[in-house]
Amino acid sequence: MKKEELQAIAAQLKHPTGEKGIEMANMMHETNINMTRHSIQNLNIAAENKILELGHGNAGHVEFVMQQAEKLTYYGLEMSELMFQEARQINRNLVSQKQAFFSLYDGNAIPFQDSFFDKIFTVNTIYFWQEPEKFLIEIYRILKADGNFCLTFAEESFMKHLPFTAYEFTLYSTETAKQLIEKTAFKIVYTETLTEKVKSKTGEFMDRAFTTIVLEK
């Protein structure tokens, strides 16, 4: 693939737009569903929790969030206008019942008050954080005391073999992610790395190592 094509893939993964963006979002949902479910299950969601997801993509997994406990409220933040619209459409029943709320944001400042959420999670977004330490401090700010934040990402050892990650991406291993977290007030309560089979763009199956780190305020 040419450099321009790889850059275009990287840009769509970071910020889906147009027809290609919808295709990319559907592909990301299918490819990442195990990672997303693993993140959600590690949040230990309880009844009446307020849950925030950062970078929800098409949000085809929100029903799964809602199955975790009674009387939950889900909030989703997204940088992509296209994904914001797709998520609202896919989850229109939850939106109309005021159980799910979607908003756009700039990827830096989180537009919620201090200590607002019981649980927060994000899957495959850490590569695109502009100021990672500041962003973690923002997440800490809006989380309630004893609340959990689940950070899930594919390991650098896997990601570095994908040619498009040379553009727009900052790759992390478990170690480098922990070093980042240690600069903040978060406590690490649990770390797990799993390997799964995923289909590549060329249709072959590859082993992907991914990590979930559960943090507590």
Side-chain angles (χ1 to χ4, degrees), residues 32 97 140 153:
N32 296 334
Q97 290 159 18
Y140 188 89
F153 58 94

Side-chain angles (χ1 to χ4, degrees), residues 119-211:
K119 312 286 181 181
I120 302 173
F121 73 106
T122 192
V123 179
N124 284 334
T125 68
I126 189 173
Y127 331 112
F128 310 120
W129 294 0
Q130 290 166 11
E131 296 183 89
E133 192 180 336
K134 274 192 183 171
F135 195 57
L136 274 179
I137 292 165
E138 263 292 87
I139 294 167
Y140 188 89
R141 176 184 68 77
I142 59 167
L143 192 61
K144 290 180 183 175
D146 302 321
N148 290 120
F149 168 49
C150 246
L151 174 63
T152 300
F153 58 94
E155 285 282 333
E156 180 178 17
S157 55
F158 168 79
M159 294 290 281
K160 68 184 180 187
H161 297 297
L162 305 176
F164 53 80
T165 62
Y167 311 97
E168 309 253 10
F169 284 71
T170 301
L171 304 183
Y172 288 83
S173 64
T174 300
E175 268 323 296
T176 53
K178 281 182 171 177
Q179 285 164 15
L180 170 64
I181 292 157
E182 281 160 10
K183 294 177 184 175
T184 73
F186 270 119
K187 297 190 291 274
I188 296 173
V189 292
Y190 179 69
T191 303
E192 185 175 26
T193 301
L194 298 175
T195 303
E196 62 175 346
K197 294 268 186 214
V198 289
K199 197 185 273 192
S200 72
K201 299 273 189 305
T202 51
E204 297 150 9
F205 281 93
M206 303 180 291
D207 287 331
R208 172 169 69 181
F210 73 88
T211 297

